[in-house]
Amino acid sequence: MEELDVQRLKKALDYLESKQRELKKHHQNDTRSIESLIKYLKRDMLEQFHLSAYDHEIKPEIKNTENFISNVKNILEKYSVGYTEEI
C-alpha cells in the first residue's frame, strides 16, 4: 500500500465538504450540477487516493455523502500524524 498523501486528501475533502454545504443551501433550486460534481468528486477521491485500501467499508458508503465524508475523516485520523479537523 502506497503512502497516503494527507495534504492532497485533506484539500479534496475540504472542497467536497464545501460543495456539500452549497448543495444543502440550495434546497429546492436546481441542484443537478452540484450533485453531479459531488458524485464525481467522491469517485475521484476513491480512485485517486485508493481509499478502499485504507477502509474496506468506504466503497458502499459512496452514495451517502455525509457517511463518505465521515469515513474519509476517519482515514485521515488513522493514517496521518498531526491531522486535526478544523472547526
Side-chain angles (χ1 to χ4, degrees), residues 49-62:
F49 297 103
H50 308 286
L51 295 178
S52 293
Y54 297 96
D55 181 353
H56 300 291
E57 301 295 320
I58 199 165
K59 196 165 188 172
E61 293 293 338
I62 198 165

Side-chain angles (χ1 to χ4, degrees), residues 36-74:
S36 294
L37 178 60
I38 288 172
K39 185 177 180 179
Y40 169 79
L41 287 171
K42 290 186 292 186
R43 290 194 189 286
D44 185 55
M45 288 171 69
L46 189 65
E47 292 173 11
Q48 183 177 356
F49 297 103
H50 308 286
L51 295 178
S52 293
Y54 297 96
D55 181 353
H56 300 291
E57 301 295 320
I58 199 165
K59 196 165 188 172
E61 293 293 338
I62 198 165
K63 292 183 179 187
N64 184 312
T65 303
E66 296 297 327
N67 288 346
F68 183 82
I69 289 171
S70 177
N71 286 3
V72 172
K73 285 180 179 180
N74 289 338

